[in-house]
Amino acid sequence: MPFLAPLPDDPDRWTTATTVDLRQLPVTGRWKVWFEVLTAFGHSSRPADEQTADGPVWRRASVEQTVPAGLVTDLASVPVPLWGVIASYGRQTLPAILHDAASRELATSDAPASARRAARRDADHLFRETLRQSGTGPVRRLLMWAAVRLFGHLGLAILFLLAVVAGLAALCLGAAGAGTPWVLGAGTVAGGAAAALLVQAVLLGVESRPAPDGTRPRWVPGAVGSVLGAAATGFVALPLLLPLIVLTTVAELVVGAGEGGPGGVRAQGVPTAGLPATRITYTSPG
């Protein structure tokens, strides 16, 4: 289904979005650029409520996910070491902003943790589906989905990175002929982190959704499978991409020498009058 935007003269009626306007905010850090969404847009998997001479129209109640004007986003949130693999903008721009809006809403939700986990999995699945709809290739969308699935949970992210780093260290130590205790130590850390990740995935499988008989947490095998699938993707991809990650990081440090600003400053609520707008044109694949 397409991305949608409200009609200028009737905000209760939405039609296919052809453009979304963003404004780049003042750059306040070396490796992070923030944008302000200037025009609201949304997405729906439902069929149009009516057909007009100008095309299909959805009622506001049929628009399932929305992004409000004024949202501040860094687009796809791609860290510097991965810039050589995936850009923060492109076909993934609108899916990334939509996922960003859903993540912000979850971060401020007072729903039970089990309900937030279910909503997070839905948002991650929608991210992958809208990537497909926007024409993103299967490998890129798999990598991007795995990233949001893993790094949307701090505990998972730490365990995953620990397992990868310790595993690579064990391999390197073994290849270099290091003593057995060193290799076993690194291997034990990697195995322990992987085991802890498995336990964490099982615990994250407890979700709750509204039901006629009330909302009750239950263990969902599909939720566990999605986390393990994302971890497996990461375990395969990250070692293969490691040389490119290192080269990209070194190149950025050298080329960007002398740049920067206050680290970690978020451009939220800064004056934006007079700043140029950047128009991103989105065409729904036929």
Side-chain angles (χ1 to χ4, degrees), residues 60-77:
R60 173 63 184 84
S62 297
V63 182
E64 297 170 301
Q65 292 83 26
T66 60
V67 175
L71 178 79
V72 173
T73 173
D74 62 346
L75 306 183
S77 305

Side-chain angles (χ1 to χ4, degrees), residues 82-126:
L82 293 177
W83 283 1
V85 182
I86 297 173
S88 61
Y89 60 91
R91 296 179 187 271
Q92 59 268 31
T93 297
L94 296 189
I97 297 175
L98 191 71
H99 187 269
D100 218 2
S103 299
R104 303 277 181 84
E105 186 176 344
L106 283 174
T108 58
S109 172
D110 58 358
S114 56
R116 293 199 304 273
R117 285 194 290 270
R120 175 74 196 202
R121 183 161 65 96
D122 290 344
D124 294 345
H125 175 76
L126 179 63

Side-chain angles (χ1 to χ4, degrees), residues 7 13-15 48-58:
L7 293 172
R13 302 174 76 229
W14 292 54
T15 188
D49 293 303
E50 57 182 285
Q51 295 288 337
T52 68
D54 296 325
V57 172
W58 286 256

Side-chain angles (χ1 to χ4, degrees), residues 123-135:
D124 294 345
H125 175 76
L126 179 63
F127 178 55
R128 187 173 183 177
E129 179 60 21
T130 51
L131 285 172
R132 183 190 66 79
Q133 294 171 3
S134 68

